Amino acid sequence: MTSPHDQQRPVIGMFWMFAAGLSFVGMNALVKMLGTNMNPIQAAFLRYAFGLVFLLPAIGAIVETPLTRRNLTLFGLRGVIHAIAVMLWFFAMTRIPLAEVTAMNYMTPIYVTAGAALFLGEKLAFRRIAAIGIAVIGVLIVLRPGFREIMPGHLAMLGTALALGGSYLLAKVMVRDIRPLAVVTHLSIWVTIVLIPFAIAVWEPPSLRDLGVLFVIASFATAGHYFMTLALHAAPVAVTQPVTFLQLIWATLVGTLVFHESVDIWVIAGGTLILAAVSFITWREAVLNRSGAISPTPPQGAEVPSAAR
């Protein structure tokens, strides 16, 4: 929940979300630049291993978190699910255009909304059901099954969004008893641990260039999450969420200018529908929170839809 003072700073919140979007698109472009030089699983592991450097300021939150059997189970389960999402995401980045990855990644909050109703007992009103339906139509527009070939990268992105949805549902459960900062930092640690055996299985000595690119990727990811946190602190999620649509525009431009990918109007249209549905759900939740119609939950927007990065 944001304070009244925070809600009076929408421009600042939108600026930080804009900066977060640029960081994430820059990171995506670098992942795609790696191409097939490195196995996606190895690249995912190194990205998270480098990212551990940026957790040093949060060491206090890590140490203070009690490692009870319940906490260890939740940390481990979320680490496995999120690691699967990360591996699928890195694979998809090297197989399909940037704009399609970005558009399909918007489905994660939709999965979270549906999953919260199915597994956490949250109410799913008709308006939210309609929004989910619109998002599904958006995905069908992006994929256009029957009108073009569905690539393995598309299936990987569907799996990525679904796995991320499961990860965030676990986070919603965990933040009831654990500090949000600890939840986020432990995620990076456990994802790195889970990825170790997979990375060993496909390991090949990386070049210094690839290591440098992966470190910059980790830096962009950290900066993006930090900027997003600042955005959510400055303004309500309902204000900052629509700004994430710019990521689709930047991804399309980078894909066209840097990687010579064709501009697909259907991807833009489908991505717009998906994001419109996400923004509506976000706005409705903000309205209900202000009216007291539902009990507030700690905001997860700092991680959605980009934590796989």
Side-chain angles (χ1 to χ4, degrees), residues 164-182:
L164 284 178
S167 174
Y168 300 135
L169 287 175
L170 285 173
K172 287 172 72 70
V173 173
M174 295 165 69
V175 294
R176 296 170 182 171
D177 304 312
I178 304 172
R179 293 173 57 191
L181 179 60

Side-chain angles (χ1 to χ4, degrees), residues 14-28:
M14 294 170 70
F15 169 79
W16 286 123
M17 189 61 77
F18 173 80
L22 288 180
S23 298
F24 288 135
V25 171
M27 179 200 63
N28 292 351

Side-chain angles (χ1 to χ4, degrees), residues 140-150 264 266:
L140 293 176
I141 291 175
V142 171
L143 295 178
R144 301 191 299 287
F147 294 91
R148 70 166 182 174
E149 182 182 2
I150 303 299
D264 191 333
W266 295 106

Side-chain angles (χ1 to χ4, degrees), residues 40-157:
I41 295 176
Q42 182 177 345
F45 165 73
L46 289 173
R47 171 262 177 269
Y48 267 84
F50 283 134
L52 294 179
V53 175
F54 301 102
L55 297 183
L56 293 177
I59 193 68
I62 298 173
V63 173
E64 293 172 3
T65 303
L67 296 180
T68 63
R69 177 178 297 182
R70 176 183 181 275
N71 288 350
L72 286 173
T73 300
L74 290 174
F75 284 141
L77 179 59
R78 193 184 183 210
V80 170
I81 294 174
H82 210 94
I84 293 172
V86 170
M87 289 186 284
L88 290 173
W89 181 77
F90 267 78
F91 174 79
M93 282 296 304
T94 62
R95 295 299 190 276
I96 59 177
L98 279 174
E100 296 188 23
V101 170
T102 303
M104 295 181 69
N105 205 35
Y106 287 143
M107 277 299 293
T108 297
I110 299 297
Y111 288 135
V112 173
T113 299
L118 291 174
F119 303 110
L120 301 183
E122 296 187 8
K123 292 183 178 181
L124 193 60
F126 173 77
R127 292 177 181 176
R128 291 193 180 189
I129 295 175
I132 291 174
I134 291 174
V136 171
I137 293 174
V139 171
L140 293 176
I141 291 175
V142 171
L143 295 178
R144 301 191 299 287
F147 294 91
R148 70 166 182 174
E149 182 182 2
I150 303 299
M151 306 296 292
H154 296 122
L155 299 178
M157 273 311 301

